[in-house]
Amino acid sequence: MAASAPLLLLLLPPLLRGCGAAPEPPEPPGPEPEPPALPESALLQPTVLLAILARNAAHTLPHVLGCIERLSYPKSRIALWFVMASKKRCLTAFVKNGFIVAYQQNFHMKGAATDHNIDNTTAILREWLKNVQHLYHDVEWRPMEEPVSYPEEIGPKHWPISRFTHVMKLRQAALRAAREKWSDYILFVDADNLLTNPQILNLLIAENKTLVAPMLESRSLYSNFWCGITPQAGKGKKGYYKRTLEYPLIREWKRMGCFAVPMVHSTFLIDLRKEASAKLAFYPPHQDYTWSFDDIMVFAFSSRQAGVQMFICNREHYGLLPMPLKPQQSLQEEAENFVHTLIEAMIDRPPVEPSQFISVPPKHPDKMGFDEIFMINLKRRKDRRDRMLRTLYEQEIAVKVVEAVDGKALNTSQLKALSIEMLPGYRDPYSSRPLTRGEIGCFLSHYYIWKEVVSRGLEKTLVIEDDVRFEHQFKRKLMKLMDDIEQAQLDWELIYIGRKRMQVQEPERAVPNVRNLVEADYSYWTLGYAISFHGAQKLIGAEPFSKMLPVDEFLPIMYNKHPVTKYMEYYESRDLKAFSAEPLLVYPTHYTGQPGYLSDTETSTIWDNETVSTDWDRTHSWKSRQQGKIHSDAQNKDALPSQPSLDTPTSRDEL
């Protein structure tokens, strides 16, 4: 019994627990696990001072500021620095975190900044700043008083030395302000540059360059960079633009990337965090500078002396800039130049909208002295209609939209009801196909306009199609041409303002006493033309339905210039008085093979068999290709004004 006592003692605690004894106290808890470390927050984006110099910029500011508003970059990380002028004494306003502190600024005080204005630039900028000041980190606005012009200045586009000096001082003041504010970057933007790509700041910063510019586009090869500069030593102009093989390759995106160049201007970004940027200066010029006194060349030289390479990037479409004007040109011409930049942008992109924070006065469209202006548009092509109406409104041109006859919707019974028959033996000269229903629809669209011209007794009418782009100063040039025609008492019935010239072996005859007008030879396209009451009567009187061919083949027959004699034999009266503007005033928006090209006339069906489609335009549509180069011996030189001599000074920015 004694031997089993230890066993009993070992069993006693569990037995007692089973009988309701007090439980054994739990073991003390261990230490709680450490919470996971919180992730690091993202870095704030770099701070940017955006500097704009505005002079006589009332016509550009609404759209330029609209682009700035739409930048995809935190506004709280952007400081705005504006300099501009008014004819009355104004205040310099500093906006800090949404609050304005204003004080009087004297024109001659140290740090004052201005470029002289003669329009309402001040009022526009004041309205904008009042509405957006709470959005940005910091706004410095320096509107100034008279004088409103520079010594030796012959016009608002003239650049005398005094103006170059003043602008360099202003840019230096902006650079100094950015450094004093400890800004990471400074972005200079000319007051007529449209930064249409909202990502432009992010894209330029990502390039990680000390000084980099986005390639801006114009209606020509002109852009905001040079690939060559004439040497400082030697004969001729020093430090001016030098033609290079690389320039067109970069400008036309045949080479893409970010390229080292000797000159950028207008819009560019400087990384102030880079050590070498501390040596950059706009004013005074470097002590070794001996080139022409020009702000962009002085700064390019400063960059080289500082060891800072300039770069131009064309990886994306970044924005637009207008062509530079001649020194003698007016502020009105500059406004027209900017409007053309806006309407060119609409060809392949959405419109550049003005700022939502500015009251933009309405335009006042008119008919340019015509009794009516018809714009032909297919109902299903709303994209073209919207673009054209906006383009015309920007130019202050009032039109009547005419719904085009849709050839794709025409059926055989409708053609029979109209007694439409193709001209016997007609074949497209390039594809050898017969007439298409798209071409019939196009012909009917023009024909019904001619009928309205006669029924309303319209003496002078303009007809335009919905796929045209307008020449620079289109309205001014067309009105001048029509005035000259009236002064010369020219008896006209049709005037092409857009066409494809097909007779290119010899020049067309210039019209005496009317500059920029020739007697029209064989031509294609009906992009745009003026037609008189008697001209419309003749076209209708020819009774073309029973012997139809494309309308742009029909018109040369009617003025007796078609190369196919057997076609002309079907029309007895061929005395239409036809002329053409020279140079032309409208062009197609797209040509065969270009992105966006679509022919509603050729991509159709055979006129008498709707089961046979005609999609030859991709390979055979030479008719829709761009006008080939006309040999110098065949150019219409006699209709053009005399060219300036080679000694005439040109714009500093002209290629």
Side-chain angles (χ1 to χ4, degrees):
M1 199 61 191
S4 63
L7 178 62
L8 181 61
L9 291 173
L10 290 170
L11 293 174
L12 185 58
L15 288 174
L16 290 174
R17 283 199 298 271
C19 297
E24 190 175 282
E27 294 183 8
E32 292 185 7
E34 291 289 334
L38 295 175
E40 287 292 320
S41 63
L43 289 172
L44 291 171
Q45 289 184 261
T47 57
V48 180
L49 186 139
L50 195 155
I52 294 182
L53 277 65
R55 187 201 190 205
N56 299 325
H59 56 286
T60 66
L61 274 179
H63 293 86
V64 171
L65 297 176
C67 290
I68 291 173
E69 291 166 20
R70 294 186 288 271
L71 291 178
S72 182
Y73 200 86
K75 291 180 173 57
S76 62
R77 307 295 288 172
I78 296 177
L80 300 176
W81 195 92
F82 291 95
V83 289
M84 37 79 69
S86 69
K87 298 175 75 172
K88 298 180 180 179
R89 181 175 297 274
C90 297
L91 295 179
T92 296
F94 293 90
V95 183
K96 303 279 189 184
N97 299 321
F99 297 95
I100 295 181
V101 180
Y103 61 89
Q104 186 72 38
Q105 179 72 46
N106 189 292
F107 180 77
H108 296 289
M109 280 184 64
K110 182 179 179 181
T114 179
D115 198 3
H116 314 122
N117 282 280
I118 57 174
D119 66 2
N120 64 332
T121 298
T122 304
I124 292 172
L125 195 52
R126 181 186 291 116
E127 179 185 9
W128 188 74
L129 289 173
K130 179 181 177 182
N131 290 315
V132 306
Q133 61 191 22
H134 64 285
L135 301 174
Y136 291 90
H137 169 69
D138 182 82
V139 178
E140 184 171 336
W141 175 36
R142 296 188 174 189
M144 300 311 303
E145 61 174 290
E146 294 193 41
V148 296
S149 63
Y150 295 94
E152 303 92 38
E153 185 179 63
I154 63 173
K157 299 311 298 175
H158 182 219
W159 284 79
I161 290 179
S162 55
R163 181 175 182 184
F164 282 126
T165 302
H166 199 68
V167 168
M168 285 189 280
K169 289 180 179 180
L170 296 183
R171 293 192 187 277
Q172 184 65 31
L175 184 58
R176 182 172 58 249
R179 288 166 174 161
E180 291 173 352
K181 296 174 187 293
W182 296 98
S183 299
D184 295 318
Y185 292 87
I186 181 169
L187 177 68
F188 285 96
V189 182
D190 278 2
D192 58 359
N193 289 189
L194 296 166
L195 308 185
T196 56
N197 188 330
Q199 296 294 333
I200 188 169
L201 260 177
N202 297 311
L203 293 168
L204 293 180
I205 289 173
E207 294 292 346
N208 193 27
K209 306 292 187 187
T210 305
L211 203 164
V212 62
M215 188 183 79
L216 302 180
E217 304 161 44
S218 72
R219 67 175 185 269
S220 73
L221 280 177
Y222 173 71
S223 187
N224 59 318
F225 71 100
W226 296 358
C227 280
I229 296 181
T230 55
Q232 185 169 354
K235 297 180 179 180
K237 290 185 176 180
K238 302 173 183 178
Y240 273 80
Y241 177 84
K242 179 182 178 182
R243 293 180 185 272
T244 63
L245 297 176
E246 293 83 6
Y247 183 90
L249 298 177
I250 296 173
R251 175 61 184 85
E252 296 179 324
W253 297 281
K254 293 175 181 176
R255 290 181 60 201
M256 295 182 66
C258 207
F259 304 96
V261 294
M263 165 77 75
V264 297
H265 59 86
S266 299
T267 291
F268 51 91
L269 182 76
I270 301 175
D271 187 345
L272 299 175
R273 303 171 305 170
K274 300 287 183 73
E275 289 183 1
S277 71
K279 300 178 182 178
L280 292 173
F282 291 92
Y283 191 87
H286 191 276
Q287 60 184 5
D288 296 329
Y289 184 82
T290 60
W291 292 350
S292 300
F293 199 75
D294 186 308
D295 63 318
I296 64 174
M297 289 184 280
V298 167
F299 186 63
F301 187 85
S302 169
S303 298
R304 287 192 293 279
Q305 297 303 110
V308 174
Q309 177 63 59
M310 291 181 163
F311 287 87
I312 189 73
C313 293
N314 69 348
R315 302 185 203 275
E316 307 270 349
H317 291 277
Y318 299 102
L320 308 157
L321 80 170
M323 290 286 293
L325 299 185
K326 306 295 185 187
Q328 69 274 15
Q329 290 185 280
S330 67
L331 197 58
Q332 175 60 32
E333 289 175 294
E334 185 179 53
E336 294 168 352
N337 197 32
F338 187 75
V339 165
H340 191 261
T341 302
L342 293 175
I343 65 177
E344 282 287 286
M346 284 188 264
I347 291 174
D348 294 307
R349 283 165 278 192
V352 180
E353 299 293 349
S355 167
Q356 60 178 315
F357 299 107
I358 295 175
S359 304
V360 180
K363 294 179 179 287
H364 302 286
D366 58 56
K367 297 179 182 178
M368 301 187 292
F370 290 95
D371 298 319
E372 190 63 89
I373 303 176
F374 295 99
M375 194 267 284
I376 301 173
N377 169 255
L378 282 169
K379 186 176 182 180
R380 58 183 166 85
R381 295 308 302 269
K382 183 178 181 299
D383 56 332
R384 290 183 175 180
R385 180 168 63 254
D386 291 346
R387 182 193 72 83
M388 278 293 290
L389 289 176
R390 179 67 178 269
T391 296
L392 291 160
Y393 176 77
E394 291 292 345
Q395 298 176 93
E396 299 191 85
I397 299 172
V399 301
K400 177 180 179 180
V401 179
V402 175
E403 185 176 330
V405 177
D406 194 340
K408 291 185 177 181
L410 290 173
N411 56 46
T412 302
S413 60
Q414 290 173 311
L415 299 182
K416 288 182 178 179
L418 292 170
S419 301
I420 291 177
E421 296 286 342
M422 185 181 75
L423 185 142
Y426 171 75
R427 286 292 183 272
D428 180 86
Y430 300 109
S431 65
S432 297
R433 58 159 174 76
L435 190 68
T436 71
R437 295 198 179 184
E439 289 170 330
I440 292 175
C442 180
F443 195 114
L444 292 175
S445 301
H446 287 271
Y447 182 87
Y448 292 144
I449 288 176
W450 304 336
K451 294 277 285 186
E452 183 171 342
V453 167
V454 172
S455 65
R456 291 174 57 188
L458 304 177
E459 291 294 334
K460 187 167 63 173
T461 299
L462 184 67
V463 181
I464 53 176
E465 296 182 339
D466 66 356
D467 56 350
V468 303
R469 69 196 308 163
F470 294 88
E471 173 66 5
H472 173 237
Q473 295 184 323
F474 166 79
K475 184 175 182 178
R476 176 194 292 259
K477 291 175 180 176
L478 180 55
M479 292 179 69
K480 175 67 166 59
L481 177 62
M482 298 309 294
D483 285 345
D484 289 349
I485 289 170
E486 185 174 349
Q487 289 293 322
Q489 298 183 339
L490 179 68
D491 186 13
W492 66 273
E493 292 169 336
L494 180 94
I495 301 171
Y496 288 104
I497 62 169
R499 60 170 178 154
K500 181 177 182 179
R501 183 179 159 193
M502 300 303 295
Q503 187 284 108
V504 293
Q505 286 73 44
E506 56 187 43
E508 295 167 305
R509 183 174 178 271
V511 177
N513 304 318
V514 182
R515 186 173 289 177
N516 301 117
L517 192 69
V518 296
E519 295 180 5
D521 211 314
Y522 182 41
S523 303
Y524 271 164
W525 302 342
T526 49
L527 300 170
Y529 58 88
I531 189 166
S532 71
F533 175 81
H534 293 297
Q537 276 187 320
K538 285 185 178 180
L539 297 177
I540 295 169
E543 299 180 350
F545 283 14
S546 61
K547 46 201 173 184
M548 186 174 286
L549 70 173
V551 66
D552 58 352
E553 300 272 19
F554 169 67
L555 293 178
I557 289 175
M558 292 301 295
Y559 57 82
N560 204 38
K561 292 291 186 179
H562 201 287
V564 182
T565 305
K566 66 178 182 179
Y567 293 172
M568 294 201 293
E569 291 173 353
Y570 287 91
Y571 292 90
E572 293 184 7
S573 179
R574 303 189 299 273
D575 59 351
L576 186 73
K577 300 179 180 67
F579 303 88
S580 176
E582 181 65 40
L584 299 169
L585 299 177
V586 297
Y587 301 87
T589 55
H590 302 88
Y591 297 97
T592 299
Q594 291 182 337
Y597 169 76
L598 176 65
S599 170
D600 289 304
T601 57
E602 297 184 51
T603 307
S604 181
T605 58
I606 295 297
W607 80 279
D608 59 351
N609 189 341
E610 58 194 32
T611 66
V612 180
S613 62
T614 59
D615 193 17
W616 283 289
D617 59 299
R618 300 294 181 268
T619 54
H620 293 96
S621 185
W622 297 95
K623 183 176 185 178
S624 300
R625 292 190 185 278
Q626 191 169 359
Q627 175 77 61
K629 185 175 182 180
I630 299 173
H631 192 273
S632 59
D633 293 339
Q635 291 177 358
N636 296 325
K637 298 176 183 177
D638 291 344
L640 303 176
S642 58
Q643 298 298 311
S645 85
L646 296 177
D647 296 328
T648 302
T650 57
S651 167
R652 65 183 180 131
D653 298 313
E654 188 176 24
L655 296 182

